[in-house]
Amino acid sequence: MRYARAVERLRMLAEACEQTRRLPAEEPFLREAHVFGALTEGADPLDEIEVAFVLNLPPEDVAWGTHPPGTAWLVDFLRLDQGGIAYWWRSSREPVANHRIHRPVRFWSLDGIDGGVLEALRERRLGALYSAEAPRGQERVAGVAEELEAALEHLRAVHGAYWDRQWRREHRGLRRYPEHHLWEAVRGYLELLDVRDE
């Protein structure tokens, strides 16, 4: 995808994120959206836009590489499954940055769309994304050991419940099946295990 098209797609994604604020809820589920990777580095063309979504869930519900409960509708609502966007979920109680997500730049939050970020990307003023007076991402980086422990806990929970009929019923819908949850739990754990061993 060409750089200009990617920026336009990110703007459309920000507008879709903004629409989630209108949904009735005691506490908003989606809290922030951050872009990172090739787009923030100015690559042209790029394979995909890399985005991290921050959810109002505890860390134990957002194991690395998995789709936490309640995200299937969000994937559908934001049209994330239509290609061109690689996305990850993060807990609002942990740093966005980790071994895979480097220098995330927030382009949407409950305060609204960050037009300055979108404008800086459109004009290719990439240095402006990380200005000192308005930090856009989180400086803290999640530790691999903590994420690995959470991923192992999640893998054990999915493995333990996998054949339970009620669990399987609860983890099916919107093109998602229990097999997806098991695969993601294994993949996320093994990825973190490899990172730790490096």
Side-chain angles (χ1 to χ4, degrees), residues 123-140:
E123 295 175 357
R124 290 175 142 327
R125 293 182 293 107
L126 305 178
L129 297 175
Y130 305 102
S131 62
E133 69 275 8
R136 307 286 186 200
Q138 294 189 11
E139 293 177 10
R140 292 188 320 124

Side-chain angles (χ1 to χ4, degrees), residues 176-191:
R176 303 266 310 148
Y177 298 94
E179 293 79 12
H180 290 110
H181 296 279
L182 180 59
W183 167 247
E184 290 159 358
V186 169
R187 183 184 58 199
Y189 175 73
L190 291 177
E191 179 183 330

Side-chain angles (χ1 to χ4, degrees), residues 79-186:
R79 300 179 181 177
L80 299 175
D81 56 355
Q82 293 186 358
I85 298 176
Y87 58 94
W88 290 265
W89 309 108
R90 304 297 289 158
S91 169
S92 59
R93 299 177 202 159
E94 289 192 317
V96 175
N98 70 0
H99 69 283
R100 175 72 178 79
I101 301 169
H102 301 279
R103 299 183 75 196
V105 178
R106 190 181 66 218
F107 65 92
W108 177 85
S109 71
L110 292 176
D111 294 330
I113 297 171
D114 193 326
V117 166
L118 296 178
E119 190 66 17
L121 284 168
R122 190 180 66 76
E123 295 175 357
R124 290 175 142 327
R125 293 182 293 107
L126 305 178
L129 297 175
Y130 305 102
S131 62
E133 69 275 8
R136 307 286 186 200
Q138 294 189 11
E139 293 177 10
R140 292 188 320 124
V141 177
V144 173
E146 293 83 12
E147 290 210 56
L148 183 61
E149 185 178 328
L152 179 57
E153 290 289 323
H154 178 73
L155 177 57
R156 285 183 171 145
V158 171
H159 178 262
Y162 187 75
W163 293 112
D164 178 76
R165 287 184 184 187
Q166 181 65 29
W167 183 90
R168 292 179 72 81
R169 209 173 4 260
E170 292 169 358
H171 289 81
R172 180 185 317 265
L174 290 174
R175 298 178 300 278
R176 303 266 310 148
Y177 298 94
E179 293 79 12
H180 290 110
H181 296 279
L182 180 59
W183 167 247
E184 290 159 358
V186 169

Side-chain angles (χ1 to χ4, degrees), residues 10 13 17 32-37 39 48-54 78 80 84-90 96 101 105 107:
L10 189 70
L13 180 58
C17 290
E32 297 178 352
H34 297 250
V35 63
F36 64 99
L39 184 60
E48 58 197 1
I49 304 166
E50 297 172 286
V51 180
F53 294 101
V54 178
L78 299 177
L80 299 175
I85 298 176
Y87 58 94
W88 290 265
W89 309 108
R90 304 297 289 158
V96 175
I101 301 169
V105 178
F107 65 92

